[in-house]
Amino acid sequence: MKTWILTTGNNISQLLELAVGETVAVVVGDAPITGVDQIIRLPLPENMPAEALAPAVVQQVTATADDLILAVDAPAERTFAGAVAARLDAVYLHGLTEVSGHTAKLSRYSNLTLQSVAWEGPAVAVVEGGKPVTDLASAPETTVETPLQYQAQITAATDTGTGVNLPAAERIVGVGRGFAAEEDLQLARDFAAAIGAEVGCSRPIVEGAGWMDRDSYIGVSGHTISPEIYFPVGLSGQVHHLAGVENSKTIVAINEDETANIFTVADYGVVGDLYQILPELTAALGEA
């Protein structure tokens, strides 16, 4: 039995936790990969989107009926996973949390509920990648040069994404509807920079206001996070958001409404105006 890992980066810690048997990583690009038994590397030409190598990825995955194919939940990797699943006529799983043979548990609605499934043949699963893995043993590596069927040149991008890996972040500042204007989010970004944190947000900031990228959404249908410390600022704490942050080690909430639901899960709470509190915190950290 083998576990195949499809990736363009090294944020594969959670994939390694789910892996069973021999692990083979099919890597598109030059990301350093450790912790697997074998690496098949597909070089990525300059100005070529990783998705263009999906046919080459498919050729490298010679999975048998008992094999598991795992991919990081990211745009390119989802493309690889879909192509491999179609080629192998394999079951496609999303939200995998546990696997044993041909049975698994799948997270639904950011762990609000779990679904048990069973199948025959190989399975392809897309999961949050987790943290970067760079400190484990290296593996034998084979580089496969693949002739591309077409050439692509990237000249412009309308939505480049945030490039932030929230599931791997140790510190996160979350922003909600307590911010009155898009430009005010700079207060949160300044605070995050002062503490070495990433910035995420609640659903309305993405889908209602359109102030932040979809990759920044924390909660149901977004990212599930588990940082060492999470600062929800101006966030009311609706259930769809709380489902994505429940694994945070420490939650420090800032909200002017003392009855806000976010305080029911917070380890520490600050009741007050974020427009006053955030600049003061950032300034104090700069003086420390």
Side-chain angles (χ1 to χ4, degrees):
M1 184 175 188
K2 289 183 180 179
T3 297
W4 301 77
I5 292 177
L6 315 180
T7 187
T8 61
N10 63 0
N11 57 320
I12 60 171
S13 63
Q14 189 163 330
L15 276 64
L16 291 178
E17 291 178 3
L18 291 168
V20 290
E22 180 184 357
T23 51
V24 180
V26 180
V27 186
V28 173
D30 57 3
I33 301 295
T34 63
V36 299
D37 297 310
Q38 180 185 351
I39 298 171
I40 301 173
R41 188 176 299 277
L42 305 177
L44 182 63
E46 185 178 0
N47 291 332
M48 178 66 64
E51 290 87 341
L53 270 69
V57 171
V58 170
Q59 291 179 359
Q60 301 307 314
V61 181
T62 56
T64 64
D66 290 328
D67 287 359
L68 178 66
I69 300 98
L70 301 177
V72 176
D73 192 0
E77 285 83 346
R78 288 194 294 268
T79 300
F80 302 156
V84 169
R87 176 65 179 81
L88 298 176
D89 193 22
V91 63
Y92 188 94
L93 308 173
H94 195 279
L96 182 67
T97 61
E98 295 180 25
V99 62
S100 177
H102 289 263
T103 62
K105 289 184 178 180
L106 309 180
S107 170
R108 293 292 179 252
Y109 309 109
S110 293
N111 287 325
L112 287 178
T113 184
L114 293 175
Q115 177 185 5
S116 296
V117 296
W119 65 90
E120 295 182 359
V124 177
V126 174
V127 297
E128 293 282 6
K131 297 176 172 56
V133 178
T134 57
D135 57 349
L136 299 178
S138 57
E141 182 170 321
T142 302
T143 299
V144 178
E145 297 292 344
T146 31
L148 297 173
Q149 309 228 341
Y150 63 91
Q151 294 292 322
Q153 182 175 6
I154 300 174
T155 56
T158 57
D159 182 6
T160 58
T162 62
V164 174
N165 183 11
L166 287 176
E170 297 292 338
R171 301 174 182 177
I172 298 175
V173 176
V175 300
R177 298 175 69 178
F179 288 82
E182 181 176 4
E183 56 268 24
D184 298 342
L185 298 182
Q186 190 60 43
L187 296 173
R189 295 189 177 103
D190 290 343
F191 174 58
I195 62 173
E198 303 290 356
V199 179
C201 66
S202 61
R203 182 175 182 175
I205 298 299
V206 174
E207 297 184 359
W211 292 349
M212 293 183 68
D213 188 88
R214 178 68 177 75
D215 289 343
S216 302
Y217 169 34
I218 301 169
V220 173
S221 301
H223 290 293
T224 299
I225 61 172
S226 55
E228 291 296 324
I229 187 165
Y230 176 52
F231 292 89
V233 182
L235 269 156
S236 61
Q238 296 299 314
V239 65
H240 62 266
H241 182 78
L242 297 185
V245 306
E246 62 183 0
N247 291 328
S248 302
K249 305 301 185 297
T250 302
I251 298 177
V252 182
I254 301 173
N255 198 299
E256 65 180 356
D257 180 6
E258 63 181 10
T259 66
N261 196 46
I262 193 68
F263 289 125
T264 65
V265 298
D267 298 284
Y268 303 94
V270 180
V271 178
D273 185 353
L274 69 87
Y275 287 90
Q276 177 182 353
I277 294 169
L278 282 186
E280 291 180 357
L281 283 176
T282 303
L285 289 165
E287 296 170 358

